[in-house]
Amino acid sequence: MRGLASRLFRVEAGEWSKLLQFGLFGLLLQTGMGVGFAAGDAAFLTKVGADKLPVIFLLTPVVMLVYTAVFSYLLVRFSIDRVVEVTLGLLIFGGALLWGLMELGLPAPWNTGLYYALKLYLAVWYIGLYSLFWNFTDSYFDIQDAKRLFPLFAAFCALGTTLGALIVSVLANVLPMHGFMLVWSGLALATAPVALMLRRRWPRIADSDADLDEGSHGVRDQARMVAEVFRTSPYAVALVGTLFVTLLMTNLAEYQYSLVLQEGRSEAELAALFGQLYAAASAFNLVVCLFVFNRLVTRMGVRNVALILPLTYFAVFAVFFLVGGELAALGAFFAYHGVLTSIEYNNQNLLFNATPSHVKRPFRTVVEGLCEPLASLLSGAFLLLLAKHVDMRELSGIGVLLGAALVGVVMLLRHTYPAAMEANMRRGWLNFGELAQSTPEFDEAARAALQARVDAAESGAEESGAARAAQALLDIREGGPPPGPSGNAGDGEPAEVFAAGLADPSPSVRKSALEALSARVGVGDIGLVGPLVAGLDNLDQEDRRTVLNMLATIGDVDAIPQILPAVAQLTPRELRAAEAMLVGMGEAAAPRLIQAMANDQAPYRARAVAARALCVLSHAQFLTQLDRLVGAELDDTVRRQGLAERFAAQAGRSPALGLLAEAARQRIAEAVDFVLELLALGGRLPDFDLLIVSLHSANPKVRGNAIEAIAAGVDHPTWRRLEPLLHRGRESVKAADAGDLIADLARAAATSQGFDAVVAAQALRDLAPPEALAALARGAVEPGLAPIYRESLVRILAGGDDEPTLVDLVGAIRARPDLSAASIDAQAALARRVVREKPAGASLELVLADGRSRWLSTSVVEEVAARRPDLALAVLKAGDGRAYAA
């Protein structure tokens, strides 16, 4: 039963307790509000009259100005938790006070003034309780959870309003209207322990990677930041404009339906009618919130759902203009208390998420606390001065014009929404491209550590790229020149001799050969491309930069398919240099780049370099390939998901199966990143680097904002395929029998690349009949397969070789806690550098499954980590207990 309910309401495992507790909080708050509104509206309309509503509209801004100032001060000074306590205390005291004063039966005009106070009291809490509940709840959920769960909370609130209205409707002939104020006070008292339980049970979520609650901002600072938002954020201005015009139309609708519905009805009849109408509207809201809104916002998107209420109001006022009467009044009532409550208010909760995160709560408090009262002031002044001089039809015509204006404002809101989401992701993101980052500051301990690494390299105890990087950092800080290439050597030897020297095991021989070649290389020396590319992975950072310059000098576009797989092993900075090299080849490189970009056997890093280079060379040609590539990648990812689950379900049968399942999952993640980069290059998504940093954030709100930016930028069919991948959801797959598994492994060996193909072949060795192994694993052998992979395949297929395969070595690396968090590609790069004997200097021991040991030099780990950020982060986190975002 719970599984059915989870699928029906889109609630994930483990969320029911949190959902029900927050839902109970909203239900109790709104039940009191429903009781107060149904009874208070009836009392005001019968004791004072609907013609006095413009006076309420004029007075509401004054009262709300005081309330907003107090609420904002408490929010800044004491946090939202204390504001909840103060609010509940005021509800308890205020309800009891109103009941007591009305029970006294004050003489006129004090009695009339008391009903004005009652209506203002209702207006304050209509805005205040709404803002309080959603400000409080928003701090416990990110936007992706909010899109699923906030409609359910709104359903609890609608149910509460229904219960409150039904209480008034049923007891209207038993209790006097002021008696319901005491009922409201009792409901507020019952809400207090629920609020306390929520604060103790659930942790709050910071709005960004910088914990905003730790900032010390006074009321004046908050006011300044809110004012700054209006100056710098077009989205915030559009949102306020949307809310303001919406509230103008809401006040006009309330005035018109109140005039129509009060005619010919007594206080009890009007109270019963309002009780029935509120109950019907709340039932409508309940259905929409439970079953419609979350599917609607998923299908249409937040910014498109914002058009529903403007179009509804436009239609309602058109009916008022053309027909009038109780039918139009009922339509206006349901537009106000139905569509506005169940769709617009839910969507506004999501729209506020795109406002600047560092000031979102005070901004929302000010906007909701003052925007509606100012709209009430304007509409109240208009109605008070002009309503007696215009008829109902003319008022409806004004409503039609306001509806058209509201549609225009919402269109502006839709346009600015994606940029606002991108700006929110950018806040708190460290921009390492700033010039200030080029001259780092070191404390004494850091400086000593860098110098110790340099000294170790100079003494011969250690030779690593980390030592050269340490020297470079010290040189930069001291204003010294960056390291450059050494002089040329060996001018008398032919180029082929030096090209062969690039494959020599000795680093000094490789460096000398490269120095000699760099002086001889010229345009069209295509014979050097192969040796340069083959030796690229074994060179240090300085020499890799030299190779890239040499390849740029050669400028052979036909070598692009040969170059790209090799550059996938480079550092992020070198990847950008490789991209510039490809762009420098000119438009003649475009066909080869298109071919490389679509090659599903190439590494994703190489394909991404090709995509970026093509985008610079010819954006039009890139766009012609975009949709086809995105569709093909997402289709292939669905197939990989099924295989990953099959292999994971059978992982106990072979260690290689578990490794293959993890490799498949990592390829899925790489495919998603590649698709997002393609879409960003195509202009459909924000900056890719910013998007990826946000997607991998440990903060749920930051990650949720990134996913929302993607949802707002792509079409619905693409989003439907991306959504489960971004949420890392995995569908359960029925376990395959042995025959199906062998066939899946054979397909994986034939269609995978590099290390993945070797893992699939080793799993076949463990599970398939020996006589069928060669035929099943034949697809893994490809002409362009790297020697290290080919050697492992020979060991797997031949059998009897006592040496470990690359798969065995990766398994040993994954067994080390300090290296296990790195990607499989990084672990495979380390495995290619494992040695049999313990090297001189610091090293890591790798224990194979059979108990034998192999060794990995620490300097080698540092060299690979310089090219693989995931490995660098894994090593860093192994020695540092703090939490990191990525």
Side-chain angles (χ1 to χ4, degrees), residues 18 21-22 25-26 29 71 75 79-85 128-141 150 153 191-192 194-205 349 361 364-365 701:
K18 191 174 184 179
Q21 290 174 29
F22 276 91
F25 178 61
L29 277 180
F71 186 91
L75 189 62
S79 84
I80 188 68
D81 296 336
R82 294 292 176 263
V83 175
V84 170
E85 294 175 355
L129 290 183
Y130 176 86
S131 181
L132 176 81
F133 176 76
W134 292 111
N135 264 318
F136 177 76
T137 304
D138 180 69
S139 61
Y140 292 88
F141 299 89
F150 277 19
F153 296 148
T191 308
V194 178
L196 180 63
M197 174 190 64
L198 292 176
R199 297 200 308 271
R200 291 180 175 177
R201 174 69 179 82
W202 304 105
R204 293 172 59 195
I205 305 174
N349 291 324
R361 279 192 283 274
R364 179 169 186 163
T365 299
K701 282 187 177 288

Side-chain angles (χ1 to χ4, degrees), residues 725-738:
L725 302 174
L726 294 171
H727 287 288
R728 302 187 180 117
R730 298 190 181 112
E731 298 293 334
S732 59
V733 178
K734 185 177 180 180
D737 56 36

Side-chain angles (χ1 to χ4, degrees), residues 147-182:
K147 288 168 74 171
R148 292 183 300 104
L149 301 180
F150 277 19
L152 302 182
F153 296 148
F156 277 100
C157 293
L159 180 60
T161 304
T162 304
L163 293 175
L166 287 176
I167 289 171
V168 174
S169 181
V170 171
L171 301 179
N173 294 319
V174 179
L175 282 177
M177 290 301 106
H178 65 277
F180 290 105
M181 297 300 104
L182 200 59

Side-chain angles (χ1 to χ4, degrees), residues 453-476:
R453 184 56 61 89
V454 172
D455 294 341
E458 290 177 350
S459 65
E462 179 179 344
E463 180 183 357
S464 72
R468 289 186 291 275
Q471 182 64 64
L473 287 171
L474 291 173
D475 288 342
I476 291 172

Side-chain angles (χ1 to χ4, degrees), residues 13 41 85 221 235 306 373 676 691 750 875-876:
D41 279 357
E85 294 175 355
D221 292 333
Y235 175 80
L676 295 180
L691 197 61
V875 174
L876 178 63

Side-chain angles (χ1 to χ4, degrees), residues 24 60 201 244 322 428 454 563 720 766:
L24 178 61
T60 298
R201 174 69 179 82
F244 187 78
L322 297 174
V454 172
I563 294 172
R720 294 304 300 166
D766 296 342

